[in-house]
Amino acid sequence: MRAYSKALIVDDSSTSRMILQRCIDMAGIPVGEYLFAENGLEALNILLSGRQVDIVITDINMPKMDGQTFVRLVKGKTETSGIPIVVVSSIAEASVEEELKALGVAFVVKKPVSPQKMLGALGGEA
Amino acid sequence: MNENFDREKACACLAETVAAVFADMAFIDAVTLAESIAAEPAAEPAAATESAPASSRPGPSSEVLERCALDVLKPVSCRLELALSPGLHRKIVEILLGESDVKGGADDSILEMLNVIAGGFLTSYFGLGVEIKLELPRYLFLEDESGGDIVCSADFDAEGERLSAILRSIRYRY
């Protein structure tokens, strides 16, 4: 199973951030350190600050900068384009999912999340 | 797409989605009070929650319920509301966050559940492949903050606590 030294969780809901972390831990996925952001803008600043994040888990519907815009910016910058991204959303809209995957998003997980869903999205082979 | 809902279908989807989300996220059984499912145009929430016989409604009727709402912009203009007892809110926070205090960062647990309910309801009602656009969920603090015609509502017994879900049609947005 793949291990992550730093995972960045992006969601405006503190409850959702906590649930995501808990589900990842319950799935047995090794994560060295969790970083958190409340919106895409905050998350982008974390990524551009030089911190070596090796997986991003992000919501879509957020204030200031939504998840779609955040993904486009991350994938459009040379220094961050290689970071794998998993999108977690309450809405399962096919066209949005297609766009996100075309941008390079690894998985789109529909809320409510579960350890099983997070294992499927993050727990692949190293 | 216009906002003319198939009321019976909307009611069924709403009741099923609320029960599923409360079970999946908070491990709480929310049992629909069959007498309370209103598929006809209903009066305001106070009347809607009175529609179930008093003997079947959980909790003290004098209890002030906490209310939150989420506006849907696409595929239709509508609003989903939840009304729940403070006791249910505390129970959810304890289960989700392991905290006994609902203040501070714990307050958005209900908003997050409403967010998931909205996505689940819209997918259940309209199916996959429909463009969905949601506002951010928020608490309602004033009596007249709600607006729009009630499409349907449902009351639940959430392990002895009161819970109601309301779908409103919002015709005009400026």
Side-chain angles (χ1 to χ4, degrees):
Chain A
M1 181 184 298
R2 184 157 175 194
Y4 302 92
S5 62
K6 276 194 187 66
L8 172 60
I9 294 177
V10 191
D11 200 308
D12 57 314
S13 163
S14 63
T15 299
S16 186
R17 294 195 299 269
M18 186 282 304
I19 289 174
L20 283 164
Q21 178 183 349
R22 191 184 285 178
C23 283
I24 293 169
D25 290 342
M26 287 173 68
I29 299 166
V31 175
E33 181 187 357
Y34 285 98
L35 304 176
F36 300 97
E38 294 185 4
N39 55 67
L41 184 60
E42 202 175 297
L44 188 63
N45 286 333
I46 288 173
L47 294 179
L48 294 176
S49 69
R51 305 193 71 169
Q52 296 298 315
V53 170
D54 49 6
I55 182 78
V56 174
I57 303 103
T58 181
D59 187 17
I60 288 287
N61 209 22
M62 297 180 287
K64 290 193 182 173
M65 182 188 288
D66 64 35
Q68 272 174 275
T69 305
F70 167 65
V71 168
R72 280 193 211 110
L73 288 171
V74 168
K75 291 301 180 182
K77 292 181 182 301
T78 313
E79 61 269 54
T80 56
S81 62
I83 301 173
I85 300 178
V86 171
V87 168
V88 180
S89 177
S90 61
I91 52 183
E93 196 189 321
S95 63
V96 171
E97 186 167 340
E98 270 174 35
E99 185 204 337
L100 292 170
K101 289 198 168 169
L103 284 170
V105 165
F107 285 94
V108 178
V109 175
K110 190 169 188 300
K111 288 181 178 179
V113 295
S114 66
Q116 292 76 17
K117 288 183 184 178
M118 298 317 290
L119 186 63
L122 274 70
E125 292 298 318
Chain B
M1 190 176 297
N2 65 34
E3 56 272 6
N4 293 330
F5 282 96
D6 174 336
R7 290 179 185 274
E8 278 196 33
K9 180 182 176 184
C11 236
C13 291
L14 181 63
E16 280 169 20
T17 303
V18 170
V21 171
F22 267 76
D24 290 345
M25 284 188 75
F27 310 111
I28 289 176
D29 283 328
V31 178
T32 311
L33 298 175
E35 309 90 340
S36 75
I37 296 179
E40 294 300 317
E44 282 306 308
T49 54
E50 294 296 323
S51 63
S55 59
S56 68
R57 275 183 284 115
S61 56
S62 59
E63 199 172 36
V64 176
L65 300 180
E66 298 176 8
R67 296 157 59 220
C68 54
L70 187 153
D71 282 4
V72 178
L73 303 180
K74 288 183 181 176
V76 293
S77 178
C78 65
R79 176 175 295 155
L80 280 160
E81 292 179 17
L82 287 183
L84 67 164
S85 65
L88 180 56
H89 190 173
R90 274 193 298 275
K91 199 177 277 192
I92 289 167
V93 170
E94 279 171 23
I95 291 170
L96 285 183
L97 305 175
E99 294 178 18
S100 56
D101 185 1
V102 301
K103 299 301 177 192
D107 256 340
D108 72 8
S109 56
I110 307 304
L111 301 183
E112 177 62 16
M113 290 183 74
L114 178 55
N115 183 40
V116 178
I117 287 168
F121 166 74
L122 292 169
T123 302
S124 171
Y125 184 89
F126 291 103
L128 296 172
V130 175
E131 185 185 359
I132 294 174
K133 199 168 168 119
L134 307 178
E135 294 274 7
L136 297 171
R138 67 195 190 282
Y139 280 103
L140 300 176
F141 297 104
L142 303 175
E143 277 302 317
D144 59 353
E145 268 186 283
S146 295
D149 300 327
I150 293 180
V151 173
C152 63
S153 64
D155 293 340
F156 303 82
D157 180 340
E159 299 183 3
E161 300 285 349
R162 294 177 68 188
L163 172 68
S164 295
I166 301 152
L167 172 67
R168 294 180 186 271
S169 170
I170 305 291
R171 287 183 182 273
Y172 304 111
R173 294 189 189 272
Y174 299 99

